[in-house]
Amino acid sequence: MSEGTMQRAAQREVGVPPTPFRQWGRAPRTPRAKRPNRALVCAIAVPVMLLAAACSSSDSGSGGGAQQTAPGDVKGSASASPSPTVQAAAYAKLPQACKILSAKTLGELVPKGTKSGKESASSDLSTRAGCSWNSLDNNGVKGSQFRWLNVSLLRFESDVTRGSGEKQAQAFYERQVQDARSVENAQNVKSEPVSGTGDEATVVRYDLKKKEGTFKQQTVVARTENVVVTLDYNGAGLAGDSTPDANDLTKAAEKAAKEAVTAVATANGASGGGAPSTSSSSSASESPAKSPSTSASPSKSAAHG
């Protein structure tokens, strides 16, 4: 082969695609000219994604800020809610129990025992107080007359959880009346309202038969404002003496209860059992609430007879 022939053959190998490509109808591969375009698209997409992310972050930040509450706003909303209040109690103290009745009244109810007053035990005399008296008029072979008197006072202080002192006193008053009506072994039980004695008053009377004789029991429960007065009075004729008249005992008990109610108002600055003074009402609202204990029940009082 000559040199010219070899040179032409080399040119054909370099510039002309091989025969198989022509036979299969396939075009020869061309250089990857589209890569710059793809890179350009990616380059354009990246700023768009960054912009969308920035907008999303900005939106979420503003939403979070809207949900947050400044400390000052929290305090303002808390202070805006009103504190619970309750009406102040009318009476702030109680009278001395053993001096709550006059000497004249004691002479009528316990003629032989005016000096037998015994004060009830109490941890706070401004909340709970009481006194009892007994009398035995011994007539020798003709028998004797026995009398027993007890006065209990319970004062309720206003409290936001339990309510006003007056409301608590009303509930206790109703329980005391119910207890007096349901004394065990009581006979001939009768009850009726008592007028002119505090805000509300009821007398409960019944008979109790014991080995010593038949005891006539009177229980007067009275409420004045936030104080409840429970007066127990019973009498019996012993050793053959006549049984006292129940009506007379009831009248005496009602008179004593009215006097006790008046003494409560007087002890708190009122004159003649009128409304309490403003200073007394104010001091009652400022004093701490105390849980009063229950006064002597009618069943206990009858046991003394």
Side-chain angles (χ1 to χ4, degrees), residues 210-283:
K210 304 178 69 175
K211 63 180 181 180
E212 296 89 352
T214 300
F215 289 82
K216 299 290 185 178
Q217 170 72 31
Q218 281 65 227
T219 298
V220 181
V221 184
R223 181 187 67 83
T224 172
E225 299 287 356
N226 58 310
V227 175
V228 177
V229 177
T230 304
L231 186 144
D232 293 302
Y233 182 50
N234 63 49
L238 306 179
D241 204 345
S242 60
T243 301
D245 183 82
N247 292 329
D248 293 340
L249 296 180
T250 299
K251 291 179 182 179
E254 291 177 355
K255 177 183 177 182
K258 185 175 182 179
E259 189 173 319
V261 167
T262 301
V264 172
T266 303
N268 285 273
S271 59
S277 64
T278 304
S279 60
S280 298
S281 177
S282 175
S283 62

Side-chain angles (χ1 to χ4, degrees), residues 38-248:
R38 187 180 301 172
L40 180 60
V41 172
C42 293
I44 294 173
V46 170
V48 173
M49 294 175 63
L50 291 176
L51 179 60
C55 293
S56 175
S57 175
S58 176
D59 292 342
S60 63
S62 63
Q67 293 176 356
Q68 294 177 356
T69 306
D73 295 340
V74 174
K75 292 180 180 179
S77 61
S79 60
S81 59
S83 300
T85 58
V86 64
Q87 182 181 0
Y91 294 134
K93 58 184 178 179
L94 296 175
Q96 189 174 344
C98 287
K99 294 182 179 180
I100 197 170
L101 300 177
S102 65
K104 179 181 179 181
T105 300
L106 288 174
E108 294 173 355
L109 273 68
V110 283
K112 297 292 183 178
T114 55
K115 297 181 180 180
S116 64
K118 183 179 180 181
E119 189 173 20
S120 303
S122 173
S123 58
D124 186 356
L125 292 175
S126 70
T127 301
R128 179 173 63 90
C131 190
S132 62
W133 300 262
N134 62 78
S135 173
L136 182 63
D137 185 8
N138 193 344
N139 296 317
V141 295
K142 295 182 180 180
S144 58
Q145 288 290 322
F146 175 80
R147 301 289 185 273
W148 185 79
L149 172 66
N150 183 81
V151 179
S152 297
L153 303 100
L154 213 58
R155 185 183 68 87
F156 293 86
E157 188 60 84
S158 295
D159 182 82
V160 292
T161 57
R162 295 192 296 268
S164 67
E166 182 177 0
K167 182 179 179 180
Q168 297 176 66
Q170 286 175 335
F172 182 73
Y173 165 83
E174 293 174 359
R175 292 197 302 270
Q176 286 290 85
V177 173
Q178 184 58 36
D179 288 346
R181 290 171 176 165
S182 56
V183 172
E184 187 177 2
N185 298 324
Q187 299 177 354
N188 303 321
V189 180
K190 298 178 182 179
S191 65
E192 57 186 7
V194 180
S195 61
T197 305
D199 296 298
E200 51 186 338
T202 301
V203 58
V204 181
R205 47 193 283 188
Y206 52 86
D207 299 339
L208 275 177
K209 290 186 177 181
K210 304 178 69 175
K211 63 180 181 180
E212 296 89 352
T214 300
F215 289 82
K216 299 290 185 178
Q217 170 72 31
Q218 281 65 227
T219 298
V220 181
V221 184
R223 181 187 67 83
T224 172
E225 299 287 356
N226 58 310
V227 175
V228 177
V229 177
T230 304
L231 186 144
D232 293 302
Y233 182 50
N234 63 49
L238 306 179
D241 204 345
S242 60
T243 301
D245 183 82
N247 292 329
D248 293 340

Side-chain angles (χ1 to χ4, degrees), residues 278-302:
T278 304
S279 60
S280 298
S281 177
S282 175
S283 62
S285 61
E286 295 175 356
S287 60
K290 301 179 180 64
S291 299
S293 59
T294 307
S295 61
S297 64
S299 57
K300 293 182 179 179
S301 66

